Structure formats: structure tokens, C-alpha cells
Amino acid sequence: MNTFPGAAWILAGVFALSGMLTVGGALLAVTSQRVIRSVSGLALGSVGLAGLYYFLHSPFLALMEILIYIGAVCVTIVFAVMLAEPDEPPPEKPRPRARLETAVALLVSLAAGGALAWLGLHTRWPVARARTGDGSLRSLGVELLSTYCLAFELISLVLLLAILGALVLARHGRTPPPAS
Amino acid sequence: MTLPEPYRLAAFVLGALAFVGLNAAYLVWVERKGAARFQRRPGPTEVGPEGLLQPIADAIKLLSKQVIVPPGADALLFRLAPAVVMAPALMTFAVLPFGAHLTARPMSVGLLLAVAFGSINVMAILLGGWASRNKYAIISAARVVSQNVAYEIPLLLVVITLLMITGTLDLSEIVRQQAGGFWRWNVFKLWVNPLMPVTFVIFFICLLAETNRAPFDMAEAESELVAGAFTEYAGMGFGVFFMAEYANIVVGCALATALFLGGWQSPFGIGSGVGWFLLKLYLLIFTVVWIRWTFPRTQFYGLLNLSWKILIPISLGTLGLTSVLLKFIRP
């Protein structure tokens, strides 16, 4: 691989691109007025995040990020938006205390983010003895179904609840439920 | 023979682009000729011998047309959507195993890459349909999503069934396991699971639905939705959507070939090579065209019922059967 001219520069460029996509996509998702553009920003951010995962030597995680976050989550959000309202809603009147609320929200998120960053930088993390696994699919699967089995199964409980909720909502079809 | 890495990469990028372009152009010709023959008429004959230059004439026409962004449309997303539908299809070509040594980037998770990038396709058609600001386009986009979500489930279940048998996500390795005669292809591995041919049929049906081909072409139902999500696209905007459709068909059929039909392996155990891969690939593509001009379009709820009430239970059944058989029969 070292025969490639300027390989280091290309790698640095791709890394910077992934980082910018992640941050830019996230900003787009938050700041955009239209819901569809926000979802596009989320998808873009997921692509960037997938790139970062790839740089962490985890192609499996990178591809799962694309498969789940773009192929499932974003598509579901857009689908919901489409079923609800094809046209975008008219811009509502700005609420009276919108500025104040934004400032408080910004303050809280800055404080939380700063605290987490400080914690991350100043804690003496226990250094891993060696690589915890070889990162292969096999070791990942074994870990998921042995060490982290409980968390894995609990996540599926969330999905079960979602299915039950959908069943409850869709149970009566288009006719309103009988008044009882 | 191995070229130095930069040249190898450039050769593969150029090769993949040329392959996609050529296929998109000439599959349209095959489609039109095939349609004509199925309907007992000659098809394109005017431009070149047997109409062979027709795709080039079409391309020149499309390139010289103006791309019109309708007023009220989301101009950025409207222009972006064709690129987003084309790019993932092109990226998938990086992992397709054309021959024993003819893969642009052999990856240990190659199959996952193909599936992951395949899922972006829906998002792109959705964006295009929504950004057009057209009632027909939005109806079509909503249909595309419910269709693709419904058919992704049996597709992935079938792929998981196959993965339990192969034990790897590496497409080249999956093909290598099927060496030595057609009875060792995954579709005929009846001693592992007597229902293997059924899983192949499910995979193929889901492939038709995922690429929005007739009888599942709900996205571009020209008799009811004008041209569906592509109604507002003119010139090359439409052309790129069209190219992406054929690129996706090639990718899907190549995956079916590699997963079930032994990829580049010869059916007689000797003389394997790229030729066999291309032969199987084009036979499958011909079948796709054949089905399109033979079956009428299904009704929309018929399509959803087929997936949720028939395909998903069957694929879950084969998944269970395969796991039981793998556990108890093979050591």
C-alpha cells in the first residue's frame, strides 16, 4: 500500500472529509427549517460517522451504521413525514420567549458537553491490557451473545414494545373504535 | 499478474464506470428488443443494424435536453437525488467478484457492503419524489418506501440463511466454496437444506421488488402515476435515474449469481472463469426483462400482502429449518 503516491495525504483528506460530513450533517439536521432537509442532514452525518468507524478499523460497524441509520431510521422518518403532511407547514409565529429558551438550551447543552469532554480528557482511563478482541465478526457475535447477552435482549424488548404500540394503534383499522 | 496499486485502482474505477455505462445503454436496447419480440413486433430498427446504435442516439438526445427544475421544488435536493441514486450502485461494484482474481477490493464484509449501499437507493428515490413537489411523485415515493421496507425483510432473512451455510460475508470466499460442479452451487445444496431452491426464488422476487421492476414497478407506474417519482425530471436527470435502475439490476443479478449460482465457477468443475460469471449474470438479467414483459403489474396491496403474508413466513421457515439442520445433521 505504500507504493501509492501521496497516500498519507489522501488518507488525511478522507479522514477530514468524514469529520466534516459528520459535523456538517449534524448541524444541517439541527438548523434546517424543512424536515426533509433535516433528515438528509442526519443521513449525511451517518455517512461521515461510518467513515470515522472505518478509520477505527471497524468496517462492520461502519456498514451497519449505513444500513440501519440511512436504510432504516432515515427512511422511516421520511415515510412518517410523507404520510403526515406532504407539504411543509406554514411557518408558525415565533413564540414569545423563543430567544430565552434557545439561550437556556444552548447553555445546558454546552455545560453538559463541556463536562463530558472534561471528564473524558482528565479521567485516568484504565489502559486495556491488550486488544480486547480481534475485531472480527466471529468474536463480535460471540461477545454479543455471551457477555452482553442481557443488554442485547433488552434492546429487543424496546422493539417488541414498538410493535405492540403499532398493533394497538392499528387494531381498529380506519373505523373509529366503538365508544364504550 | 498484479499491477502496482495506483494503476490497479485506476483500472478498476475506469472499468466499473465503463461497465455500468455500457450495460445501462445496451440493457435498454435489450429491453426494447425483448419487449418487441414478446409482443411480436420488430422493435428499434432504424438507427444502425438491428437498431444497435439506438442507445447512442438516445444518450445524445437526453444529453442535449434542458434540465428543468419545476417552480416550488426543493432545487438542491431535486438536483442531488439522481447522484444519490447512482453513487451507491457504483460503489457496490467495488466488491463484486467477477473472477477468481477480478475483484476491485475483496472485503471480509463485502456482502454487507452490497446490502448496506443497496438500502440507500430508497432514500434517493424518496428525496427525488418529495423534492419534485408533484402529487404523483409523492404518491410514488410513499409507495416505494412501503414496498422496499416490506421486501428488505425477506431479502435479509434469505441472506442470513445463506450466511449460516457459508459462514462468511466475503463474496469471493462464498464463490470459492461452490467450486466443483453445479451440484455444489448453493442453490442445489439440498443436503444442507432441501428448500434451497425456494430461498433462491424468494431472493429473486425480492430483487425484482427492490429494483422496482415489473410486476412490482410501483415507483414508475406509467399508466396511473405518469412516471411516478421521476415525473418532473427531464433530460439527463431522468437519464441518470434510468442508468441507476439498470446498474441496480446488474448489481442484484451479480449478487444472485455469486450467492446462489456459483459465481465464476463452471457447472462442470473445469474451465472456470469470468465468462461463466457474465453468462449467468446476463441469463438472470434476461429473466428480469422476460418477467417484466410477461406479467402485468400487481395491485399495491397484493404486493404488500405477498411480502408480509407469504414471503416473510416462508423465509423465516427456511431460516429455522436451516439452523436446525445445521445443528443436528452436520457435526
Side-chain angles (χ1 to χ4, degrees), chain B residues 12-314:
Chain B
F12 268 113
V13 169
L14 274 182
L17 286 177
F19 188 71
V20 171
L22 200 73
N23 268 302
Y26 276 90
L27 286 181
V28 175
W29 180 82
V30 170
E31 181 105 53
R32 292 175 69 175
K33 273 289 185 192
R37 294 293 184 217
F38 288 125
Q39 297 166 351
R40 305 199 63 177
R41 55 189 175 83
T45 53
E46 290 296 320
V47 195
E50 289 292 312
L52 268 176
L53 297 179
Q54 185 69 43
I56 297 170
D58 287 348
I60 292 172
K61 189 199 89 176
L62 281 177
L63 281 173
S64 58
K65 282 172 92 170
Q66 187 187 3
V67 176
I68 303 166
V69 181
D74 192 327
L76 178 72
L77 289 181
F78 186 80
R79 286 169 187 276
L80 209 61
V84 180
V85 78
M86 193 71 204
L90 280 176
M91 286 187 69
T92 315
F93 275 84
V95 291
L96 290 185
F98 287 96
H101 302 289
L102 198 63
T103 310
R105 186 85 176 91
M107 270 179 96
S108 61
V109 287
L111 179 58
L112 186 65
L113 186 139
V115 175
F117 282 106
S119 70
I120 299 182
N121 188 22
V122 201
M123 188 76 190
I125 295 182
L126 244 170
L127 286 183
W130 187 86
S132 302
R133 264 303 181 94
N134 180 314
K135 289 273 187 286
Y136 293 123
I138 288 178
I139 295 174
S140 154
R143 282 183 176 186
V144 169
V145 185
S146 35
Q147 172 182 345
N148 276 263
V149 168
Y151 279 86
E152 208 153 271
I153 300 169
L155 184 80
L156 289 181
L157 283 175
V158 164
V159 167
I160 291 174
T161 309
L162 197 81
L163 284 185
M164 290 199 304
I165 295 168
T166 60
T168 174
L169 279 164
D170 189 340
L171 284 169
S172 305
E173 181 59 33
I174 290 175
V175 175
R176 232 169 270 133
Q177 288 175 357
Q178 306 176 52
F182 64 87
W183 56 90
R184 293 185 54 88
W185 293 356
N186 277 333
V187 65
F188 296 122
K189 277 191 177 161
L190 299 179
W191 64 92
V192 184
N193 179 354
L195 290 177
M196 272 325 266
V198 179
T199 59
F200 173 66
V201 171
I202 293 178
F203 185 87
F204 197 72
I205 292 175
C206 293
L207 181 101
L208 290 177
E210 289 280 312
T211 50
N212 300 318
R213 290 289 299 192
F216 307 118
D217 56 343
M218 291 299 148
E220 195 190 347
E222 67 271 10
S223 55
E224 39 191 297
L225 290 182
V226 192
F230 320 130
T231 306
E232 296 287 354
Y233 282 91
M236 219 40 210
F238 176 73
V240 172
F241 270 119
F242 219 65
M243 279 175 75
E245 179 180 334
Y246 284 100
N248 277 321
I249 293 170
V250 172
V251 168
C253 289
L255 279 182
T257 309
L259 290 180
F260 287 98
L261 300 179
W264 67 79
Q265 309 286 358
S266 143
F268 316 113
I270 44 168
S272 302
V274 186
W276 284 111
F277 186 87
L278 292 179
L279 180 70
K280 294 170 193 169
L281 175 66
Y282 285 117
L283 278 179
L284 279 183
I285 292 177
F286 176 73
T287 315
V288 170
V289 173
W290 189 8
I291 289 174
R292 169 167 182 184
W293 296 103
T294 311
F295 289 96
R297 181 178 306 132
T298 53
Q299 281 173 322
F300 188 59
Y301 41 88
L303 173 129
L304 290 184
N305 279 342
L306 174 70
S307 172
W308 290 103
K309 293 186 179 167
I310 298 177
L311 292 184
I312 291 180
I314 294 179

Side-chain angles (χ1 to χ4, degrees), chain A residues 103-116:
Chain A
V104 171
L106 208 64
L107 206 68
V108 170
S109 48
L110 269 182
L116 279 179

Side-chain angles (χ1 to χ4, degrees), chain A residues 34 36-37 75 78 82 86 137, chain B residues 74 119 126 130 142 145 169:
Chain A
R34 298 178 176 175
I36 300 270
R37 285 207 175 179
V75 168
V78 181
M82 249 175 205
L137 280 183
Chain B
D74 192 327
S119 70
L126 244 170
W130 187 86
V145 185
L169 279 164

